[in-house]
Amino acid sequence: MSVIVELTVPSTAFELGRILRVEGPTQITLETMVPLGGKPTPFVRIRNDARETFERSVSDHPSVNEIQLVDTHDDETLYALDWEPSDASLLRRILDLDAVLLGATGTTDSWGLELRFPTHEALSAFQDHYVEEDIGVTVERIYNPTKPDAGPWYGLTPPQRETLAAAVSAGYYSLPRQISTQELADSFDISDQAVTERLRRGISTLVRNTLLVEEPEE
């Protein structure tokens, strides 16, 4: 089962962070990484007021062959970066583990990355790498993706979602329990059995669409 991790890494420890240097409060967004000619090509977006210094800084970096303007919209510009990632870089380790860079946002000090690893074992190997290399990675969140057809509420029906949310807010799952199913039922003007069934089916749906997600066959 694949796993998604959101993490923060210092700009100086992330190769693209060292290349895509920005000044002041300027923020860079990595739109996507496209494999072109056997190497990953980043597409990055930056505000127009930082274009001049950004282009000059990136072009001067020894790993960069070319920075190409792709599109300008409103006050932002999109670039494609032709570069040569080093074999020892953090990004190279990510790619070697068949992980996918889903998104990244950088500032002068740090980059926030969202990565999808094919297995928990691959994520563990990545964690071993940055620990061994003494890279100051901060993991913000780890979770499994949901089923593609689960929808924005993980497959829950509106009554299930409403009842589960009310149960948690009212302390049904607290220790000690702060509300009974009968009291929940009275608040929805339904039977005790109907509330119990909504909670049972809702929890079952959440587990199936999050914890029990199977990988699609190739």
Side-chain angles (χ1 to χ4, degrees):
M1 180 186 296
S2 65
V3 57
I4 295 176
V5 58
E6 296 175 2
L7 54 87
T8 303
V9 59
S11 295
T12 54
F14 180 49
E15 189 168 22
L16 278 178
R18 294 193 297 270
I19 294 172
L20 305 175
R21 296 292 295 169
V22 292
E23 298 177 358
T26 303
Q27 186 177 81
I28 297 176
T29 301
L30 181 60
E31 296 285 312
T32 186
M33 291 276 287
V34 179
L36 298 176
K39 59 186 176 183
T41 299
F43 284 76
V44 295
R45 188 176 299 277
I46 190 169
R47 288 204 323 265
N48 287 339
D49 57 8
R51 278 182 56 182
E52 185 176 345
T53 56
F54 174 74
E55 290 179 3
R56 183 170 59 251
S57 173
V58 173
S59 299
D60 290 342
H61 197 281
S63 297
V64 176
N65 298 321
E66 181 184 11
I67 178 171
Q68 180 180 358
L69 191 153
V70 176
D71 183 39
T72 299
H73 180 70
D74 293 335
D75 65 341
E76 293 185 325
T77 297
L78 181 68
Y79 295 95
L81 184 66
D82 180 2
W83 68 314
E84 301 292 340
S86 67
D87 292 337
S89 68
L90 185 67
L91 181 62
R92 173 56 64 189
R93 184 57 177 153
I94 291 170
L95 298 175
D96 288 345
L97 290 168
D98 294 325
V100 177
L101 184 61
L102 300 177
T105 302
T107 64
T108 301
D109 300 321
S110 65
W111 276 74
L113 311 180
E114 184 179 15
L115 305 166
R116 184 176 68 235
F117 289 86
T119 63
H120 282 269
E121 289 75 16
L123 172 58
S124 294
F126 174 66
Q127 292 173 320
D128 290 342
H129 171 76
Y130 67 68
V131 170
E132 291 173 2
E133 296 297 323
D134 196 25
I135 300 173
V137 172
T138 301
V139 175
E140 309 291 349
R141 183 184 178 206
I142 298 176
Y143 60 98
N144 294 109
T146 61
K147 289 183 177 178
D149 58 352
W153 297 107
Y154 309 101
L156 294 173
T157 65
Q160 290 169 356
R161 186 172 76 246
E162 186 180 22
T163 305
L164 273 171
V168 171
S169 297
Y172 178 74
Y173 295 103
S174 300
L175 288 176
R177 182 168 289 170
Q178 298 175 16
I179 191 172
S180 67
T181 51
Q182 184 59 62
E183 291 171 313
L184 280 172
D186 292 342
S187 68
F188 289 106
D189 197 23
I190 58 178
S191 69
D192 178 277
Q193 183 178 355
V195 161
T196 301
E197 189 66 11
R198 283 187 188 180
L199 294 176
R200 185 186 68 81
R201 289 181 179 273
I203 291 173
S204 177
T205 297
L206 278 176
V207 171
R208 285 199 312 272
N209 287 330
T210 54
L211 300 181
L212 301 182
V213 178
E214 295 182 356
E215 289 300 298
E217 296 182 359
E218 295 293 338

